[in-house]
């Protein structure tokens, strides 16, 4: 992404700190002023373009916030299907185990009332993640 597009995305998303903190070489998991963490903020705010940018430039989607919430949990709270799917796709690529039953229920409950495609895609994605994890040996014990 060129600098102009990045600056426009940062301006449009409402990022509260200086744009340089979101440059391609920034540490998106670093604790900033007041404990703000760029990836966690973007996930909690449902900023899909910014989350995608951060993932493409090395953000750690497994990084847990000080209160114990993961980027995926923060994204569920934002109800942004795009952000949730970006995180799930990255977690699957990292061979992370699929969510436990409680988190799985939160995911399906959050998107069950939305658009039919979102509901069906979420259900299929969770099934695929389970299948991939079983194949890789990373699925949680039943």
């Amino acid at each position: 992404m060129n600098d102009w597009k990045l600056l426009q995305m940062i301006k449009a998303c409402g990022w509260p700190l200086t744009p340089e903190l979101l440059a391609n070489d920034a540490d998106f998991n670093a604790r900033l002023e007041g404990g703000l963490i760029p990836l966690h903020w973007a996930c909690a705010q449902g900023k899909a373009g910014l989350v995608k940018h951060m993932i493409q430039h090395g953000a750690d989607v497994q990084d847990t916030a000080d209160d114990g919430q993961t980027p995926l949990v923060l994204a569920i709270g934002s109800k942004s299907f795009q952000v949730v799917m970006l995180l799930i796709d990255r977690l699957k690529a990292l061979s992370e185990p699929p969510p436990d039953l409680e988190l799985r229920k939160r995911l399906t409950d959050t998107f069950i009332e939305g658009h039919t495609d979102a509901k069906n895609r979420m259900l299929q994605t969770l099934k695929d993640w389970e299948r991939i994890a079983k194949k890789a040996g990373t699925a949680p014990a039943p």
Side-chain angles (χ1 to χ4, degrees):
M1 180 179 302
N2 68 35
D3 289 341
W4 181 83
K5 284 185 180 178
L6 176 61
L7 288 173
Q8 291 303 311
M9 179 180 63
I10 293 168
K11 184 178 179 182
C13 79
W15 171 246
L17 303 177
T18 63
E20 293 78 26
L21 295 170
L22 299 180
N24 293 343
D25 58 351
D27 179 357
F28 302 120
N29 297 95
R31 271 62 176 166
L32 304 173
E33 295 175 20
L36 184 66
I37 300 162
L39 178 64
H40 296 165
W41 178 87
C43 290
Q45 297 296 315
K47 305 296 184 179
L50 198 50
V51 170
K52 182 178 179 180
H53 167 76
M54 291 177 178
I55 290 172
Q56 289 173 339
H57 292 91
D60 180 3
V61 297
Q62 300 163 309
D63 183 62
T64 304
D66 292 340
D67 63 2
Q69 294 188 81
T70 64
L72 183 57
V73 170
L74 292 165
I76 293 168
S78 77
K79 296 184 177 165
S80 171
F81 184 75
Q82 286 181 301
V83 173
V84 167
M85 293 306 294
L86 285 166
L87 294 168
I88 288 174
D89 287 346
R90 183 67 184 140
L91 290 166
K92 288 181 353 186
L94 294 170
S95 298
E96 283 298 305
D100 61 23
L101 289 176
E102 181 183 332
L103 187 54
R104 187 182 181 102
K105 182 173 176 13
R106 282 190 64 197
L107 282 163
T108 54
D109 287 352
T110 299
F111 298 107
I112 202 85
E113 297 296 324
H115 192 278
T116 304
D117 288 344
K119 175 183 79 172
N120 291 339
R121 184 167 174 214
M122 179 58 66
L123 293 172
Q124 188 60 51
T125 295
L126 292 171
K127 286 179 190 175
D128 290 345
W129 195 354
E130 195 73 37
R131 180 185 47 76
I132 291 166
K134 283 181 184 172
K135 201 174 197 181
T138 60

